[in-house]
């Protein structure tokens, strides 16, 4: 799938994985619509080729309105990358009692249901455009996590939501094959995002040392390069790809 000359949508694009991906896609020649919560989208340093818009992926009308921006006669939507997500930590039974059920539902709503809503509306729009080589119309890349299989203590909600994203990958690829749309997911390990910058230096060093090789955090740009590789490789479909330096998370 060619990136240049097509349009792309990236969610969670104000920082971290999403911002790196939006920048990389724009550099590769895509017209990028970068999506994040309104407050975050308004406070982002401009990037050539990237248009920031505010939308909440958990609100169906906002997702529908987002993809309503695409004109069937305009630049074809070819690439969608779901990076929007949250990662709170809470034990199932802790000092304050049972895990907050509303918080659990919120994590699933953002990470899994939000990704599905974007995927579904994106596929509907992609299907309106003429197919390219090998009858392809588009590629959707979702963000899972190594927590989908290696969930740690306190990650019940996060791990469950990311396992849902991983489990969505193959049936989504099969569902959308007839439309010429591929679906893959990336399962990152420990990536050096703004969220990780809030932890102490000693803790960061310990986490990095636990990665077999290279013994460091992954970089958002490495995630973005993998997205470009998935888009470029037409035979990658229905697969969850770990990006983790061979890390397997311990219980804590």
């Amino acid at each position: 799938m060619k990136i240049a000359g097509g349009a792309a949508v990236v969610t969670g694009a104000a920082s971290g994985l999403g911002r790196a991906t939006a920048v990389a896609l724009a550099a590769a020649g895509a017209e990028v619509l970068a999506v994040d919560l309104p407050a975050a989208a308004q406070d982002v340093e401009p990037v050539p080729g990237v248009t920031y818009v505010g939308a909440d992926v958990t609100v169906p009308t906002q997702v529908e309105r987002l993809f309503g921006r695409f004109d069937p006669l305009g630049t074809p939507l070819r690439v969608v990358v779901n990076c929007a997500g949250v990662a709170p930590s809470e034990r199932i039974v802790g000092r304050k009692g049972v895990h907050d059920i509303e918080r659990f539902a919120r994590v699933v709503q953002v990470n899994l249901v939000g990704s599905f809503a974007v995927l579904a509306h994106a596929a509907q729009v992609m299907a309106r455009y003429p197919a390219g080589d090998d009858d392809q119309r588009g590629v959707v890349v979702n963000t899972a996590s190594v927590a989908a299989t290696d969930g740690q203590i306190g990650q019940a909600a996060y791990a469950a939501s990311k396992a849902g994203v991983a489990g969505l990958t193959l049936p989504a690829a099969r569902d959308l094959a007839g439309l010429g749309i591929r679906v893959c997911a990336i399962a990152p390990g420990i990536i050096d995002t703004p969220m990780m910058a809030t932890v102490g230096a000693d803790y960061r060093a310990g986490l990095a040392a636990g990665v077999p090789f290279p013994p460091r955090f992954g970089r958002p740009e490495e995630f973005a390069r993998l997205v470009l590789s998935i888009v470029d490789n037409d035979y990658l479909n229905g697969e969850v790809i770990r990006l983790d330096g061979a890390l397997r998370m311990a219980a804590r």
Side-chain angles (χ1 to χ4, degrees), residues 1 28 39 64 66 68 72 87 97 104 145 151 153 166 176 187 189 199 202 205-206 209 218 242:
M1 171 66 66
E64 186 174 5
L66 171 69
F104 186 99
S145 168
I153 288 171
L176 299 176
V199 304
D202 290 343
R242 290 180 70 118

Side-chain angles (χ1 to χ4, degrees), residues 100-144:
D100 187 300
I101 305 302
E102 291 186 359
R103 181 176 296 121
F104 186 99
R106 176 64 180 171
V107 174
V108 173
Q109 188 73 20
V110 175
N111 295 353
L112 176 57
V113 180
S115 294
F116 178 77
V118 171
L119 163 74
H121 282 282
Q124 183 181 46
V125 171
M126 287 175 174
R128 297 172 183 162
Y129 294 104
D133 295 341
D134 285 337
D135 293 328
Q136 286 199 84
R137 287 190 171 85
V139 184
V140 179
V141 180
N142 292 324
T143 303

